[in-house]
Amino acid sequence: MADPLQQPNDRPAIVDLICIGGGLGGMAAAIRAHDRGLSVMILESSAYVGGGAAYSGGLCWLPGMIGQDSAEAGNDYLTHVEGEKTGSDPQKRLAMIGSMVEAAQYFRQAGINLDVVAGNPDVFYPAAKGSVGSGRMFESAVSASALGEWRERLMPSPHYRIGLRHRELYDDALGLDEKEQLFARRRVEDLLTMGTGLSGSFVAAALIERGIPCLTGHRVNRLIVRAGKVAGVEATTVDGMSRTFLARRGVIFATGGYSWAKDVADIEGLPDFVDAGPPSNAGDHLSMATLLGAAVVRGCGPQFSMGGVIDRREVHPGSEQVVCRQLFDVMGLPHTLVINRDGKRFGDESYYVGINEALREWDPIGKRWVNFPCFLIFDEQYRQTYPLAGLSPSGDYPDTVVQAESLEALAQKLGIDGAALVETAYRFSEAAERGEDPDFGRGTLAFVRRRYGDLRHQPNANLGSVQKPPFYGLQLRLLGTGMCTFGLKTDACGRVQRMDDTAIAGLFAIGNAAASSEFRAYVTGYANSRNIGMAYAAANAV
């Protein structure tokens, strides 16, 4: 693809706005800036566009879009989810929700489909004030043909099977055979769904419909300051060349977080950490912005789930980094449990947010992490019924999955307490047959039963015994979601700030580059909506 910004005599390209990062936020900001009449360009360090959102499930959480719902009710719900632990600002959070909804409405009018996932409840519905049973989850799908020559450069997701919309996956009227037929048809049609569909919709709108220039393989390494204002960037190309780009109005960091920084586990205070997202999320924004006096503050994280390496040959696109597969789709299904090296469960496996704090537990006497390392345990009932991170039911497993004819033998191979594992599996299975989990309440959340369970399985979509040999085990890793603890301090419009609240002129940060200080917890779809909302607000403020 020709360089659309090559200047005669290699003079710097000059535009109104530069977006650093070709993911969801960068595309959204570029679209809004273009529609305002500004000239804009996108610089992306990797060979792909779509960013971390393309790896996600692609949901957007948007209160106040449907029926009698409101932003205020959504704020009440987030207040419940966050609880009293973090002390963030409810008014700032309400303003963020307003930006998210206004942005969603704008982008829908601009031709990007955001469709409600009917019947998908809030996680804590109906226990929380402000929660709803349906109408806050939205998704986007797009035909691959709409991306033109960018189709092959849209970031492919190693974590999700693409083709069905969420509303189709959750449709009880569609049987497994019908869904498989739909998947087959959609492969031929090349319909992009999940995070690939969400990112792809914005890529099509930005790069094809509007013709906004985007240069991949350009890693920005320095901000240019003139007369006290950020006025451009220097970038290094994949062949080592240095290029300068100037911006009249400003620069937006849409780089994602720092989850692939080499010291991320130490920064987050965790026993282990590998990210699910693209390796391009390396924290470049922090390195550059702090040189100008930007403040780094605590946000929402770290947000992580549990994953595992299934195939050591599978690497992230354009990288040599081995993919660690997300497993929350597995751990919410019947006939699975997660145990520590002592052979004991330590949380509700079906909703990873609820188990995260237990993974931080430290034994000050034994001087060890209480619940890490940990292991996924499942039996032949699971293997014959459900897929495992892309592996078909009843198919062969790679050597990363340990197999044994008894739980005692499996425990010996994994290096864990065998007697405790047998006792744990028996207690869990006995209650699971009744559809109960008296220890951790697995299967009690309506959202989790629908999203991560098997609604055909009775009496509980998330619970099934683990008693039928052979048995299987997989060592787990702490898998980041791209949402780390720290980020740049910003105002409501994404202006990067110093510790004294003054803004660095011409510099903005959005999405995971900006600390989520308005909401320090996790709600499915909030990060994607926040990214879009901040992009819209920043593009309006430039």
Side-chain angles (χ1 to χ4, degrees), residues 111-132:
I112 295 171
N113 66 82
L114 283 168
D115 301 321
V116 69
V117 183
N120 199 358
D122 282 329
V123 172
F124 297 103
Y125 175 80
K129 180 182 179 182
S131 65
V132 297

Side-chain angles (χ1 to χ4, degrees), residues 202-248:
F202 279 81
V203 168
L207 307 189
I208 300 300
E209 295 173 21
R210 288 162 176 79
I212 295 170
C214 176
L215 298 181
T216 57
H218 281 62
R219 184 173 184 175
V220 174
N221 49 52
R222 189 173 80 87
L223 296 171
I224 297 170
V225 179
R226 293 181 177 176
K229 178 182 179 181
V230 175
V233 302
E234 286 185 1
T236 302
T237 65
V238 289
D239 54 7
M241 293 180 59
S242 180
R243 297 189 65 185
T244 299
F245 303 89
L246 300 180
R248 302 182 189 93

Side-chain angles (χ1 to χ4, degrees), residues 9 35 44 99 139 180 222 264 282 308 322 397 443 472 511 519:
N9 303 318
D35 291 358
E44 165 59 42
S99 293
E139 63 180 334
E180 285 302 320
R222 189 173 80 87
V264 63
V322 175
Y397 286 161
Y472 305 89
F519 178 56

Side-chain angles (χ1 to χ4, degrees), residues 217-297:
H218 281 62
R219 184 173 184 175
V220 174
N221 49 52
R222 189 173 80 87
L223 296 171
I224 297 170
V225 179
R226 293 181 177 176
K229 178 182 179 181
V230 175
V233 302
E234 286 185 1
T236 302
T237 65
V238 289
D239 54 7
M241 293 180 59
S242 180
R243 297 189 65 185
T244 299
F245 303 89
L246 300 180
R248 302 182 189 93
R249 305 284 284 268
V251 171
I252 295 179
F253 278 126
T255 51
Y258 56 87
S259 47
W260 278 96
K262 60 180 172 50
D263 50 358
V264 63
D266 187 45
I267 294 171
E268 303 294 55
L270 293 169
D272 175 59
F273 197 89
V274 61
D275 200 59
S280 55
N281 292 341
D284 293 349
H285 59 296
L286 299 179
S287 302
M288 289 182 276
T290 51
L291 289 176
L292 303 184
V296 176
V297 295

Side-chain angles (χ1 to χ4, degrees), residues 335-356:
H335 313 301
T336 67
L337 53 86
V338 172
I339 48 92
N340 58 25
R341 67 185 125 189
D342 297 323
K344 298 177 181 179
R345 294 177 67 217
F346 53 92
D348 174 3
E349 302 92 339
S350 67
Y351 189 50
Y352 59 92
V353 177
I355 207 169
N356 284 1

Side-chain angles (χ1 to χ4, degrees), residues 402-469:
V402 178
Q403 176 178 339
E405 289 301 317
S406 69
L407 286 169
E408 295 93 336
L410 182 67
Q412 185 175 16
K413 289 184 177 182
L414 294 174
I416 59 181
D417 188 321
L421 174 59
V422 171
E423 180 181 349
T424 295
Y426 177 79
R427 174 178 171 81
F428 173 82
S429 298
E430 188 179 42
E433 290 296 290
R434 302 191 304 269
E436 300 172 357
D437 176 16
D439 295 321
F440 299 105
R442 175 170 165 177
T444 58
L445 297 174
F447 169 85
V448 174
R449 289 196 299 271
R450 184 176 179 84
R451 173 64 181 86
Y452 301 118
D454 176 5
L455 294 175
R456 303 166 302 165
H457 184 84
Q458 297 298 324
N460 192 304
N462 299 120
L463 291 167
S465 63
V466 182
Q467 291 289 294
K468 183 177 181 180

Side-chain angles (χ1 to χ4, degrees), residues 465-488:
S465 63
V466 182
Q467 291 289 294
K468 183 177 181 180
F471 298 94
Y472 305 89
L474 175 67
Q475 183 160 353
L476 298 172
R477 297 201 62 184
L478 305 193
L479 185 65
T481 61
M483 292 173 275
C484 293
T485 299
F486 300 99
L488 295 174

